[in-house]
C-alpha cells in the first residue's frame, strides 16, 4: 500500500460511514454515478479476504488519521487473524499481539472509543486463540498492569482490556470446538481471573475516579459471572 491507496481507503470509509459521495473513477468524471455505501463496504471488505493484507492493515493504522479507516483496519485484522490463525507461526502471532498492544499504549488515549474497543477485541482474540501456544499470551494481565500504572486515560484502557479479556475468554469462537473453548476458559479462570479481580480492585481504590469506578464495576461483574455461573456453551 502507498499513500494514494491509503487516501482511497479513507474516501471509501467516508462513503460507508458518513455517506459522502465518491466517484469510482475520478473527480472530473461526471458521467459515472458515485459509489453507494454498499459498494464502498464491498471494496473495503477485500481487506479481509486474504492474510496477505495484514501489512496493508498495519500501514493504515500507522499512517491514517481517519478514525473510520483505523476501525476498518482493526476489524479487518481481527477477521484475518481469526480466519487464518493456523497460517501464522507462533512468533508471528506474538509479533502481531505486541504490535497492537504497543499501538494502544502509544495512541490509545487519542483514539475514538469505537477504535480502541476494536483494537482491544483484537488483542483479546489473539490471546484466546494463542492461549496454549506460548506463555506470552497468558501474561496479558502483566501487560495490562503497565497501562494501569500510567495516566488515567491509560488506566481506563487497561480496565477496558481486562473487561474485554474476560468476555472473550467466556465466549466460544467459530472454528473451534466446544472442548477447545472450555479448556481455554478453564485455564484462564484458574490462572488469571483472580488476578484480574485484584487489578481492578487495586486500581479503583487508588484512583477513586468516577470513570475508573464505572469500568471497575464492569470488570467485577463479568468476573463474578465467569467464576460463579460457569462457562458459556
Amino acid at each position: 500500500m502507498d499513500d494514494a491507496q491509503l487516501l482511497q481507503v479513507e474516501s471509501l470509509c467516508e462513503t460507508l460511514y458518513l455517506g459522502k459521495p465518491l466517484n469510482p473513477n475520478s473527480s472530473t468524471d461526471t458521467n459515472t454515478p458515485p459509489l453507494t455505501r454498499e459498494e464502498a463496504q464491498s471494496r473495503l471488505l477485500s481487506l479481509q479476504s486474504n492474510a496477505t493484507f495484514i501489512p496493508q492493515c498495519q500501514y493504515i493504522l500507522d499512517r491514517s488519521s481517519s478514525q473510520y479507516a483505523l476501525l476498518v483496519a482493526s476489524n479487518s485484522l481481527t477477521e484475518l487473524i481469526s480466519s487464518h490463525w493456523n497460517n501464522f507461526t507462533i512468533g508471528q502471532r506474538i509479533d502481531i499481539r505486541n504490535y497492537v498492544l504497543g499501538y494502544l499504549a502509544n495512541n490509545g488515549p487519542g483514539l475514538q472509543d469505537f477504535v480502541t474497543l476494536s483494537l482491544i477485541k483484537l488483542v483479546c482474540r489473539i490471546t484466546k486463540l494463542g492461549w496454549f501456544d506460548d506463555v506470552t499470551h497468558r501474561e496479558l494481565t502483566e501487560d495490562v498492569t503497565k497501562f494501569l500504572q500510567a495516566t488515567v486515560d491509560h488506566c481506563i484502557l487497561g480496565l477496558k482490556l481486562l473487561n474485554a479479556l474476560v468476555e472473550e475468554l467466556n465466549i466460544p469462537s467459530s472454528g473451534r470446538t466446544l472442548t477447545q473453548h472450555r479448556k481455554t476458559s478453564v485455564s484462564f479462570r484458574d490462572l488469571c481471573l483472580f488476578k484480574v479481580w485484584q487489578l481492578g480492585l487495586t486500581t479503583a481504590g487508588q484512583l477513586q475516579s468516577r470513570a475508573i469506578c464505572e469500568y471497575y464495576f464492569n470488570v467485577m461483574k463479568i468476573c463474578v459471572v465467569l467464576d460463579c455461573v460457569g462457562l458459556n456453551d
Side-chain angles (χ1 to χ4, degrees):
M1 178 171 286
D2 55 29
D3 288 344
Q5 292 171 315
L6 175 60
L7 182 61
Q8 180 70 10
V9 168
E10 292 174 341
S11 297
L12 287 169
C13 289
E14 289 184 350
T15 297
L16 174 60
Y17 291 103
L18 302 177
K20 184 177 179 180
L22 172 65
N23 192 292
N25 296 323
S26 70
S27 59
T28 59
D29 183 358
T30 59
N31 296 320
T32 304
L35 290 177
T36 65
R37 279 179 162 165
E38 290 75 15
E39 290 169 332
Q41 181 181 42
S42 177
R43 294 194 181 194
L44 289 169
L45 283 175
S46 66
L47 288 170
Q48 302 180 11
S49 61
N50 193 288
T52 58
F53 283 105
I54 286 180
Q56 284 88 328
C57 294
Q58 290 179 313
Y59 187 96
I60 295 169
L61 288 172
D62 291 336
R63 301 289 187 96
S64 181
S65 59
S66 165
Q67 297 291 308
Y68 296 114
L70 299 179
L71 176 64
V72 166
S74 178
N75 287 345
S76 297
L77 279 174
T78 302
E79 179 62 29
L80 290 170
I81 291 296
S82 302
S83 301
H84 302 280
W85 181 255
N86 291 329
N87 293 343
F88 303 104
T89 65
I90 292 176
Q92 288 172 326
R93 297 166 183 171
I94 293 174
D95 286 344
I96 297 172
R97 167 200 183 274
N98 292 341
Y99 166 81
V100 181
L101 276 175
Y103 189 91
L104 279 169
N106 294 326
N107 304 292
L111 298 174
Q112 291 288 333
D113 195 50
F114 58 80
V115 180
T116 58
L117 290 176
S118 177
L119 289 166
I120 285 171
K121 179 180 178 180
L122 172 57
V123 172
C124 295
R125 180 66 54 81
I126 294 172
T127 299
K128 178 170 70 174
L129 295 178
W131 190 256
F132 294 110
D133 282 354
D134 188 274
V135 68
T136 301
H137 297 292
R138 300 191 292 276
E139 294 176 343
L140 183 59
T141 53
E142 303 302 322
D143 294 297
V144 172
T145 301
K146 300 174 185 177
F147 284 82
L148 300 178
Q149 294 172 344
T151 67
V152 172
D153 286 338
H154 282 91
C155 284
I156 292 175
L157 276 176
L159 289 174
K160 287 180 179 179
L161 268 163
L162 293 178
N163 186 77
L165 179 63
V166 179
E167 285 187 335
E168 182 68 34
L169 269 293
N170 196 34
I171 299 173
S173 295
S174 60
R176 292 215 152 189
T177 66
L178 181 58
T179 300
Q180 290 174 315
H181 161 66
R182 294 184 66 86
K183 182 180 178 182
T184 304
S185 295
V186 168
S187 177
F188 169 76
R189 184 184 62 188
D190 294 345
L191 294 176
C192 298
L193 194 62
F194 184 64
K195 176 69 172 179
V196 170
W197 179 282
Q198 285 182 314
L199 287 173
L201 181 62
T202 301
T203 302
Q206 289 176 344
L207 295 180
Q208 297 182 348
S209 158
R210 180 176 179 180
I212 293 292
C213 287
E214 287 177 359
Y215 287 109
Y216 158 71
F217 284 120
N218 286 336
V219 172
M220 296 305 100
K221 180 174 67 176
I222 196 168
C223 283
V224 170
V225 170
L226 178 59
D227 192 38
C228 296
V229 176
L231 304 171
N232 282 334
D233 293 336

